Amino acid sequence: MNMDDLIVKYLLGAADADETTRIERWLAAEERNRERLRQFRTLWDLSGRTAVSARPDTQEALGRLRQRIGRGNMARREPERVMLRKGLAAAVLVGLLCAGVVIFVAVRRNSGPAGAERTEKAGVTGKGGETGKVTAGGGGTAIVGITVTVPGKDTLPDGSVVTLAPHSKFIYAPKLTGDSRTISLEGDANFSVVSDPARPFVVLTGDIAVRVLGTSFLVRSGPDSTEVIVTTGVVEVSRDKDSVIVRAGERLTVFGKKKEMVLRDGGKKSAMRVKGGNDQKRVMRSIIEDLVKEKIVPDKDSVEWFGLDPQHFIVNGRVMPVGMRQLFTAKYIKPDGMGYYFEAEKGGKVSGTGYFFDRKDLY
Amino acid sequence: MEWNEFNKVGLLADEGVQAFEKVFTDWFGHLYAYAMSVVKDEGIAEEAVQAVFCRIWEKRERLQVHASLKAYLYGSVYHECMDWLRHRKRVEAHRRHAQAIYTGGRVMTESASAKVELGELEKKLQQAIDELPDQCRAIFCLSRYGELGYKEIAGQLGISVKTVEAQISKALKRLRKKLADFLV
């Protein structure tokens, strides 16, 4: 064993009897050796002291812990993990900034691990909107304070942690104030969100808003589509006026140009929910009118649910005769085979591949 | 408060919450200082400690601790910090200006350094500690700030006592080499 290793061992009281004898003999031999031991001892003692530098106030830290665990009462609160990936948000970010920033002050400071550079912008809204309230779609109030461009972990004022990938950035209001905690993201980031039902956590990617309703999920977005895959819990994905609730095990794909949202059940790959547009809504209303005309139901309000696709025609739980099915499929089912599914209220009674609507969507 | 006592109280009861919070207030400062020495970032350091306590809280009903509370806490913070450093490394690998970032030296943020006036030697030592390889630094500081014995460290980190010994030795040797001129 190297003498230095032995000194260290001796210093830390880990040397055995033989080693101790050896080192004591060595120390006795020369002043230089004793000097060496002193150096190690100084380092050892000093290194224990330098540790105690500034630290955050323990009571404040306890407050943050309580908040994380459950607003002061320590009720269980799971952190939620969110992964967001964004491909096309550059334009959006520019849009957001232009929409409302009247003045901003750029402050540079050295912070973060390893002297990483970070830019901070203190923002003021142009339309007198609330700082931190950002809505998707480009037209809303959109102002934001702090821009983070340094890859790595950042703790937001609410205790949520964002881990930013390289070449990415996110913007948030300085204190994340407002009714919701809104983050605008360009690039990829991992979110560990502190749950706060009163103030939902919203991540904006382009014109898509992902609202955390208490869950863990993954968002992947490329130039043509964005995918939201939910592992646990529920998220709400919205675009313009459309919104879709995505539950555990489901995967939602939002297509860029077609303005379509496709919901797949993770377990049953064949089932696919598509958020239809106005064309599909018209078809849906027409089907319901035909149900009344064919006297399958007395009036449109009597339709509890139905499913119409190439293989099935079921209304309020009754399987329709084949002839009736053919009549309806011939009229409404296009070669793409997409079905039409209706539920008076959202409830997951119907499954299949096609367009799903409830009464509120249609009337 | 030792773990047994802490555990015995039962974290579900009101006293359990108090016990939990007491453990937090008793240990936060120490654990934070240790985390700080490893990750060198106030936010991340606090996050590491907070995450450990959140997990303890979540697992409170089935948590089994076979070591002292102190060793368990320090060990958990160590893992938390190392995870972060590993993540950081992956991220940094993508960045060309990684060198610029890790040239080190900067230990504390402005607010911290303003509060603490370190002697020249201490500053140099702190700098040298920062420049130690991640695992070496983490283990060294665990022994230094956590005042954990080799066996405790080895047990918590799932490595051999020999490895712990070697890392601490390596750390001290490097520090001495760097600071020899300043050590009288």
Side-chain angles (χ1 to χ4, degrees), chain A residues 340-357:
Chain A
Y340 287 85
Y341 305 91
F342 173 87
E343 286 171 294
E345 283 170 40
K346 279 195 175 74
K349 277 188 210 135
V350 199
S351 72
T353 298
Y355 306 101
F356 284 73
F357 295 97

Side-chain angles (χ1 to χ4, degrees), chain A residues 6-246:
Chain A
L6 209 55
I7 297 175
V8 173
K9 242 181 145 177
Y10 174 76
L11 191 63
L12 306 187
D16 60 27
D18 282 353
E19 287 166 335
T20 307
T21 317
R22 200 177 136 207
I23 199 143
E24 279 171 356
R25 226 175 267 149
W26 177 81
L27 287 172
E30 276 186 75
E31 171 57 27
R32 213 162 50 127
N33 298 351
R34 290 189 289 278
E35 172 62 30
R36 206 174 176 97
L37 175 72
R38 271 197 299 278
Q39 289 183 340
F40 275 112
R41 180 165 286 145
T42 308
L43 284 172
W44 183 251
D45 291 344
L46 266 185
S47 61
R49 271 196 278 154
T50 54
V52 192
S53 60
R55 54 180 69 156
D57 184 272
T58 300
Q59 284 308 314
E60 283 174 17
L62 179 62
R64 287 189 283 274
L65 180 74
R66 281 175 180 158
Q67 202 176 19
R68 252 174 105 145
I69 288 177
R71 313 204 111 193
N73 58 11
M74 288 292 191
R76 183 175 169 148
R77 179 153 297 190
E78 301 240 352
E80 295 140 10
R81 294 203 177 271
V82 181
M83 159 62 105
L84 271 169
R85 180 166 289 186
K86 188 66 194 87
L88 46 85
V92 174
L93 276 182
V94 173
L96 290 177
L97 290 172
C98 293
V101 178
V102 172
I103 51 164
F104 65 85
V105 192
V107 183
R108 268 164 187 267
R109 65 170 180 158
N110 273 341
S111 168
E117 210 170 65
R118 160 191 316 237
T119 316
E120 286 204 0
K121 290 190 181 113
V124 177
T125 63
K127 301 173 186 166
E130 304 157 61
T131 302
K133 180 149 189 190
V134 186
T135 48
T141 53
I143 282 323
V144 195
I146 295 162
T147 306
V148 179
T149 54
V150 187
K153 236 176 199 177
D154 262 278
T155 305
L156 302 176
D158 69 335
S160 298
V161 177
V162 183
T163 310
L164 196 66
H167 314 299
S168 305
K169 65 176 169 187
F170 67 90
I171 304 176
Y172 64 98
K175 286 182 179 163
L176 275 188
T177 46
D179 301 338
S180 65
R181 298 167 288 166
T182 306
I183 304 280
S184 184
L185 174 77
E186 178 184 349
D188 298 7
N190 216 323
F191 290 88
S192 183
V193 179
V194 175
S195 173
D196 181 353
R199 295 172 61 238
F201 195 92
V202 182
V203 181
L204 298 178
T205 67
D207 61 346
I208 295 156
V210 180
R211 179 185 287 256
V212 179
L213 304 175
T215 187
S216 59
F217 64 100
L218 178 99
V219 180
R220 265 195 199 129
S221 106
D224 301 321
S225 67
T226 297
E227 262 193 330
V228 180
I229 300 157
V230 178
T231 323
T232 59
V234 186
V235 297
E236 183 183 82
V237 179
S238 55
R239 180 185 214 176
D240 301 332
K241 284 175 192 157
D242 283 338
S243 73
V244 174
I245 302 278
V246 190

